[in-house]
């Protein structure tokens, strides 16, 4: 029997029923026909993190599938990801890699690990990061497995310090940037970009002294122009996301009047033993503002407010932010933002922001609500890991991850 000539639908059915990701990686490597059949399988986003207790002790890795439900934003289903023992989670990177580190090593060194294939890339320590700096994000320019040369930018937290790595040089170089808070990084059209609050910058890594250069922002007075409005609300974090060939700047604000239409969803289909609270009771309102970067002649940019996500879903957290189409990846909902909230705080949760306007609103009302109120959101807690008090399970580091098979 010629195993390479099996029907694609049969191969896909076998592939989907394989119990381990390592088996799926081997399946794709059998031959071109099997690899092509596996390519049509749509994986689900993961939520990955290092779990601690309320006192920050321990760093046990845990992982969850995002599952689709008939109601609400979804659920989190636990599974055992193939992550090397003894390493702790730093960030989810791009091109199917996790950024991990040895908690006992000083200074901190980053290891890129593909949990599907098992490939591991050890990077040198970032010697100029202070001891208390936490590596919050690592973004790659290309897949190290296939690219002859590639680069990476790492973000330190809580005071942002940026480091640039070149595979050709094999060393980290500091980038001239420092600001308190959470900055977003993305590799877009061959260049690294950094955003903090509403400021977009480009990383000039070819200069004698690599630096982060702010881009000029144009502001128009008419309704169709750029947006650079200071609402006076604190920006909790900023993300950059490539979405359908566009670059989006996403800011998360707090100190908002709450929209009362909030619900709480637990992480699995069974009863939840731990306590929970509605996001509307916690006094930590959030609103997500999405701005599209419009490129203008002369190297300037204009930020244009987006009232919806064009049927995409955004995944923000301690990770390289990414966008998915629910038509291709049915585990997520259209026009929603999946935000891992309270980064660095022991009590972690996922908040799902619905960017769709309420059908009861007139267009003018919808625009006002979008600017001044938190969108309708739901909260997803990771399922209890066996302890009676689910709120005692800390999540000091957590982020979304999209696997590459």
């Amino acid at each position: 029997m010629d195993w390479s000539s099996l029907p694609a639908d049969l191969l896909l059915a076998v592939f989907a029923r394989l119990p381990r990701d390592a088996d799926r990686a081997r399946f794709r490597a059998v031959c071109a026909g099997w690899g092509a059949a596996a390519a049509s399988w749509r994986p689900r986003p993961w939520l990955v993190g290092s779990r601690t207790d309320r006192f920050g002790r321990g760093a046990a890795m845990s992982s969850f599938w995002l599952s689709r439900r008939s109601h609400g934003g979804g659920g989190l289903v636990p599974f055992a990801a193939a992550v090397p023992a003894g390493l702790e989670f730093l960030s989810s990177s791009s091109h199917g890699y996790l950024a991990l580190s040895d908690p006992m090593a000083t200074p901190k060194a980053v290891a890129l690990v593909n949990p599907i294939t098992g490939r591991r890339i050890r990077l040198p320590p970032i010697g100029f990061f202070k001891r208390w700096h936490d590596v919050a994000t690592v973004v790659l320019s290309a897949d190290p497995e296939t690219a002859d040369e590639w680069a990476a930018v790492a973000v330190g937290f809580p005071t942002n310090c940026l480091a640039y790595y070149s595979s050709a040089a094999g060393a980290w170089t500091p980038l001239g940037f420092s600001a308190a808070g959470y900055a977003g990084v993305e590799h877009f059209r061959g260049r690294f970009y950094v955003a903090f609050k509403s400021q977009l910058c480009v990383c000039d890594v070819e200069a004698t002294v690599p630096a982060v250069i702010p881009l000029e922002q144009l502001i128009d007075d008419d309704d169709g122009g750029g947006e650079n409005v200071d609402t006076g609300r604190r920006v909790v974090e900023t993300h950059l996301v490539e979405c359908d060939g566009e670059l989006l700047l996403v800011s998360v604000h707090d100190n908002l009047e709450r929209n009362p239409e909030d619900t709480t969803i637990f992480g699995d289909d069974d009863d939840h033993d731990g306590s929970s609270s509605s996001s509307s009771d916690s006094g930590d309102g959030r609103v997500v503002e999405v701005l599209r970067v419009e490129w203008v002649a002369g190297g300037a940019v204009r930020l244009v407010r987006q009232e919806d996500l064009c049927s995409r879903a955004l995944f923000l957290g301690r990770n390289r932010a990414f966008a998915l189409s629910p038509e291709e990846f049915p585990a997520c909902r259209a026009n929603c933002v999946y935000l891992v909230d309270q980064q660095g705080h022991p009590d972690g949760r996922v908040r799902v922001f619905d960017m769709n306007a309420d059908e009861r609103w007139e267009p003018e009302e919808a625009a006002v609500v979008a600017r001044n109120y938190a969108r309708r959101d739901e909260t997803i807690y990771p399922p209890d890991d066996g302890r009676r008090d689910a709120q005692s399970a800390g999540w000091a580091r957590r982020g979304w991850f999209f696997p590459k098979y």
Side-chain angles (χ1 to χ4, degrees):
M1 182 177 181
D2 185 4
W3 292 97
S4 64
S5 62
L6 290 175
D9 56 347
L10 177 60
L11 290 171
L12 182 59
V14 173
F15 180 85
R17 286 169 173 77
L18 293 175
R20 298 184 304 166
D21 289 321
D23 296 330
R24 295 190 176 98
R26 297 187 185 100
F27 183 102
R28 296 182 67 120
V30 170
C31 64
W34 285 37
S40 62
W41 185 70
R42 299 304 182 186
R44 293 166 287 182
W46 302 4
L47 180 68
V48 186
S50 294
R51 187 183 63 246
T52 67
D53 59 21
R54 283 189 175 274
F55 303 100
R57 296 173 302 198
M61 290 288 299
S62 291
S63 48
F64 302 88
W65 291 111
L66 176 67
S67 67
R68 180 67 187 269
R69 293 189 171 196
S70 58
H71 67 280
L76 296 171
V77 180
F79 77 102
V83 178
L87 298 181
E88 65 178 355
F89 176 79
L90 294 178
S91 166
S92 297
S93 189
S94 40
H95 300 282
Y97 287 89
L98 294 172
L100 309 176
S101 72
D102 182 351
M104 305 303 295
T106 302
K108 183 172 294 184
V110 177
L112 299 175
V113 177
N114 185 324
I116 307 300
T117 65
R119 178 178 174 83
R120 185 186 302 194
I121 302 171
R122 296 186 181 275
L123 301 180
I126 309 177
F128 50 86
F129 273 19
K130 302 297 183 182
R131 184 174 182 179
W132 48 268
H133 270 134
D134 194 7
V135 179
T137 309
V138 179
V139 176
L140 308 179
S141 65
D143 188 345
E145 188 170 2
T146 58
D148 293 332
E149 293 186 7
W150 54 277
V153 168
V155 181
F157 185 82
T159 300
N160 278 306
C161 294
L162 299 182
Y164 172 76
Y165 175 83
S166 167
S167 64
W172 292 98
T173 302
L175 290 172
F177 176 84
S178 180
Y182 190 95
V185 178
E186 180 61 293
H187 187 262
F188 182 73
R189 298 179 182 175
R191 306 189 75 178
F192 283 102
Y193 291 89
V194 179
F196 180 73
K197 295 185 178 180
S198 295
Q199 179 65 62
L200 181 65
C201 309
V202 63
C203 297
D204 185 2
V205 298
E206 302 297 334
T208 304
V209 179
V212 177
I213 310 300
L215 296 178
E216 178 187 1
Q217 293 186 20
L218 301 184
I219 304 173
D220 295 339
D221 295 330
D222 60 339
D223 293 337
E227 298 284 349
N228 192 17
V229 179
D230 184 4
T231 63
R233 304 183 180 106
R234 185 172 69 97
V235 176
V236 180
E237 56 193 73
T238 307
H239 300 268
L240 287 174
V241 191
E242 182 176 359
C243 181
D244 291 339
E246 302 281 359
L247 184 62
L248 303 180
L249 190 154
V250 184
S251 297
V252 181
H253 303 257
D254 70 354
N255 297 331
L256 298 173
E257 182 178 348
R258 294 296 305 169
N259 185 323
E261 300 182 45
D262 296 328
T263 58
T264 298
I265 302 174
F266 295 117
D268 53 20
D269 293 330
D270 301 325
D271 293 335
H272 198 284
D273 293 331
S275 60
S276 65
S277 62
S278 170
S279 59
S280 60
D281 296 333
S282 58
D284 54 352
R286 295 282 191 268
V287 70
V288 176
E289 181 185 47
V290 181
L291 302 173
R292 176 174 56 84
V293 179
E294 185 177 279
W295 307 93
V296 184
V301 297
R302 181 182 290 111
L303 301 181
V304 182
R305 190 185 303 274
Q306 298 293 105
E307 300 298 348
D308 62 55
L309 303 175
C310 299
S311 299
R312 294 298 186 260
L314 303 185
F315 290 82
L316 313 178
R318 195 183 179 98
N319 53 271
R320 179 256 180 181
F322 57 89
L324 296 179
S325 167
E327 291 185 359
E328 299 182 21
F329 303 94
C332 55
R333 285 172 50 192
N335 239 28
C336 286
V337 177
Y338 292 77
L339 172 69
V340 183
D341 201 13
Q342 295 181 319
Q343 287 293 344
H345 193 277
D347 295 326
R349 61 188 178 182
V350 173
R351 296 176 69 161
V352 185
F353 291 88
D354 189 343
M355 301 293 289
N356 294 293
D358 194 306
E359 295 179 355
R360 297 171 297 177
W361 298 334
E362 296 295 332
E364 295 79 6
E365 295 176 315
V368 172
V369 171
R371 293 169 181 260
N372 297 283
Y373 293 88
R375 300 287 184 118
R376 297 184 306 278
D377 69 273
E378 301 156 349
T379 301
I380 307 175
Y381 289 111
D384 189 2
D385 60 359
R387 289 170 288 192
R388 296 293 299 179
D389 182 8
Q391 296 297 312
S392 67
W395 286 81
R397 298 189 179 101
R398 54 213 175 271
W400 291 107
F401 173 71
F402 190 70
K404 182 177 181 180
Y405 289 85

